[in-house]
Amino acid sequence: STSEETVNATYTIEQARQDPIEVVTETTELLAAAGWSSKAGGPWPGECSLGGGEDGAYYAYTVYSDDRSEDLHADVYVVAEHWESLGMDVNIVEEGVVSPRVYATGGPVRKASFNTNDPGSGRYRVGATSWCAPGNALELGLQENERRAQREVIPGDDYFLNNPESEADETD
């Protein structure tokens, strides 16, 4: 039997890392907001259970933008429609709240959210969390740290404000 956390037996940690990046990036590209950035630099691993006592790992990825539109409700519906097109179950929260938001589950990621007013910051926030895959979150976190220490640009890093430009970029 499989756990709710898993999509299928062939889901890899590489997919678990890439899927949130793709969902978040596709979502930000639908919005007029600019200046998206990530606090962590890229997706970050966490622990989950594959069932049968086997440990696994997931990746979460979140980006923020100070550039909010004049029509928060319209942006919420743009995001909701896109996520529905990806096969996600979508829940829009807009009644009785100042800042509408969208939550989704299923499809390419376990969950995703779009908040038009990230609490305490007044920014847009788009985030997604992958399904669980075979892997060790601690080891994966150490690998992520090592990649950054070596200045390796990895998928998702283009949103990291402190990401050093490569030497090739400087000579262009």
Side-chain angles (χ1 to χ4, degrees), residues 34-91:
W36 293 96
S37 64
S38 168
K39 292 178 185 176
W44 197 253
E47 294 178 1
C48 55
S49 175
L50 290 167
E54 186 181 353
D55 289 338
Y58 68 86
Y59 274 90
Y61 185 52
T62 303
V63 294
Y64 304 84
S65 174
D66 292 322
D67 186 19
R68 297 166 59 209
S69 84
E70 295 295 316
D71 192 345
L72 304 179
H73 292 273
D75 283 352
V76 161
Y77 280 93
V78 165
V79 170
E81 287 176 21
H82 174 65
W83 287 352
E84 285 173 344
S85 79
L86 298 177
M88 301 174 83
D89 293 321
V90 173
N91 179 30

Side-chain angles (χ1 to χ4, degrees), residues 73 76-77 91-101:
H73 292 273
V76 161
Y77 280 93
N91 179 30
I92 297 171
V93 178
E94 64 181 338
E95 298 214 11
V97 297
V98 174
S99 305
R101 48 197 158 275

